[in-house]
Amino acid sequence: MRLSRAAAAGAAAVLAMTACLGPTGSARVATADASGDGTLRIGLILDNTGPQNFLNAPQAAAAKLAVKEINAAGGHKGKPVELLPETISTDTAAQARELVAAKADVVIGPTDSSRAPAAIDVLSNAKVAVISPANSASGLSTYKSGGYYFRTSAADIAQAAVLAKLAKDGGARTLAVVHEEGSYGKDVAAAVAAAAKQSGLDPVADAEFRAGQAQQAAAAAKAAAPDAVVLVSREGAQGAIAELNNLGLAGKKLILSDGAVNQYGSGLGTRALDGARGILPGVFPSATFQAALVAVEPGLKDMTFAAETYDAVNLAAVAAAAAEDDAGTSIAARLVAVSGGTAQPADGGQPAGGQPAGAQPSGETTTCKSYKECADAIRAGKRPDYDGESGRINFDSHGDVTEANYTVYSYGADNKATMSGNETASSSGG
C-alpha cells in the first residue's frame, strides 16, 4: 500500500461557494414511493489524473468486487446490479451528466473535494444518490444537496482528536500547532487546538506558513517552548519539517497530520523524523480484502480508498434492498437507516430512515458486514446495520460518518514510517 494517502485537494473551492450553503443543506431525503425501473445501476466518477492517477484503480477494483459479490448473492430483486462503464476525467459535471443519461441510480465519487459540488449539483437535481469514498473537505457537510450526498470518508477535522491524543500519549503537556495556509490547514489547526484543550493539553502557539516559507512559523513554535508540535500541512510539509528540525522541534516532538505523512527517507536530514508519529485515514486493508481486490484487478498495488468505495457500493445496494426499490430517491432516503445512523429531515417530520419506499422491517437491528448478510437480515424481518471494510459508518444528518478510523505510523532513523497502531475518533473532530 502506498503510504502517502493523497488528501482531497481544493477544499478552498468548496468553502468559497458559501452562496450554495444553507440551513437546509444537510436535510435528508423524505419518504418516497417506489419509482425505479427494476435494475440497480451504479456509476463511478474517477477524477484523478497526473501524479494522483493511482487513486483510480483501487476505487474501480473495489466497486467491481462489491458488485460481483452482490450479484453472487442474488443481485437486486433477483436481477444483476449493473456497474456502468467508468471514465477518467476532471470534467466532473460532464461525467455526472453522462451517468444521468445512462440511468445511474447512485454514483460513487468523486475523489477530489473541489469537484464534489459539480457532481452534487447535477446528480441531486436528477435525484441520483451520491456517495463519495474520499471527499474530506469540512465545508461539504453543509453543502446543499437536497439530502442526496453522503461520504464514507471522514471530514479533515476528524483527525484533530487523534493528533491531540498522540501528543498526550507521548507525555506532552503543552502543544504548538504549525499549519500551512489554506482551509485544510486552518480548519484542522483550529480543531487540534480545541481537541487539545478538551484533553487537558495547553495549546501554546498556532503559527501559519506558506509552502516553502516555514522558517518564521517554526521560530514562533520554538519560542513557545512546547512539549510537542503538530504539523498540519500538505504541499509544504517537507520544507516545514526541515525548518522544525533545524530548531530541534522534529523527531519525537513532532506529530504529522494526514496530509504531511510520507516516506521522506533521504529527502530530510539524518534522523530528522526519528520517533515522530503521523496518521492516515482509514483502516489498513485485511489480507483477505486485499486478496479479493487483486483477484478482481491483477497487478493492483495501491489500496487507497478501496475499503471506503467497497462500503459505499454495498450501502447503496443494501439501501435499495431495504426500500425494495432501485430509484435514487429511495436509496438516499434509506442510506442513513441501513448504515445504523439516525437523522431528522429539515421539516421535523419522520426520520429519513423511517418508512421510505418498500417494506421496512420493524424487528431488531442486526449488524451485517456484507451485502448478503444484510439482505438475509432484511428477509428475516430485521433492520440491517452495515459496518464494512472501513469500519462503523452510521451516517448522521449531514450524510457524514460518525466515526473516523486512523492508522498510526511511527518514523525510524531512516525517516521512513511503518504502521504502529490504530485510533478512532468522532467525525466532528472531538
Side-chain angles (χ1 to χ4, degrees), residues 157-225:
I157 60 171
Q159 66 186 291
V162 175
L163 296 171
K165 182 179 184 296
L166 291 179
K168 189 169 184 177
D169 288 350
R173 294 184 178 180
T174 60
L175 179 148
V177 181
V178 175
H179 73 268
E180 189 171 344
E181 67 177 5
S183 59
Y184 169 78
K186 291 178 180 178
D187 291 349
V188 177
V192 169
K197 290 180 180 178
Q198 290 177 359
S199 64
L201 291 172
D202 182 11
V204 293
D206 182 0
E208 184 178 77
F209 70 94
R210 181 175 298 176
Q213 302 178 29
Q215 186 175 13
Q216 187 173 346
K222 176 69 173 179

Side-chain angles (χ1 to χ4, degrees), residues 81-321:
V81 172
E82 293 183 9
L83 182 62
L84 298 173
E86 71 271 15
T87 59
I88 299 172
S89 171
T90 56
D91 189 343
T92 306
Q95 285 177 296
R97 287 192 293 269
E98 289 172 2
L99 290 170
V100 171
K103 299 182 179 181
D105 301 300
V106 60
V107 169
I108 311 302
T111 306
D112 194 319
S113 289
S114 70
R115 298 194 178 106
I120 295 169
D121 291 350
V122 172
L123 295 169
S124 64
N125 185 60
K127 297 183 179 181
V128 176
V130 189
I131 313 175
S132 172
N135 290 169
S136 61
S138 300
L140 289 170
S141 293
T142 50
Y143 189 83
K144 189 173 182 179
S145 75
Y148 284 89
Y149 175 71
F150 300 78
R151 50 182 167 176
T152 49
S153 57
D156 290 322
I157 60 171
Q159 66 186 291
V162 175
L163 296 171
K165 182 179 184 296
L166 291 179
K168 189 169 184 177
D169 288 350
R173 294 184 178 180
T174 60
L175 179 148
V177 181
V178 175
H179 73 268
E180 189 171 344
E181 67 177 5
S183 59
Y184 169 78
K186 291 178 180 178
D187 291 349
V188 177
V192 169
K197 290 180 180 178
Q198 290 177 359
S199 64
L201 291 172
D202 182 11
V204 293
D206 182 0
E208 184 178 77
F209 70 94
R210 181 175 298 176
Q213 302 178 29
Q215 186 175 13
Q216 187 173 346
K222 176 69 173 179
D227 296 328
V229 176
V230 172
L231 174 63
V232 182
S233 179
R234 284 179 175 158
E235 289 79 6
Q238 183 165 323
I241 293 170
E243 295 291 353
L244 290 166
N245 186 47
N246 290 339
L247 297 176
L249 294 179
K252 293 181 180 180
K253 285 182 175 285
L254 188 59
I255 299 166
L256 305 178
S257 73
D258 62 355
V261 171
N262 209 331
Q263 297 288 30
Y264 291 100
S266 60
L268 290 171
T270 304
R271 305 177 72 90
L273 288 173
D274 192 13
R277 289 156 293 161
I279 61 173
L280 289 177
V283 294
F284 196 80
S286 67
T288 300
F289 185 51
Q290 291 187 57
L293 287 168
V294 172
V296 168
E297 191 65 50
L300 184 68
K301 298 183 184 302
D302 195 283
M303 306 290 173
T304 306
F305 301 130
E308 291 84 355
T309 302
Y310 177 84
D311 288 347
V313 174
N314 277 319
L315 279 161
V318 174

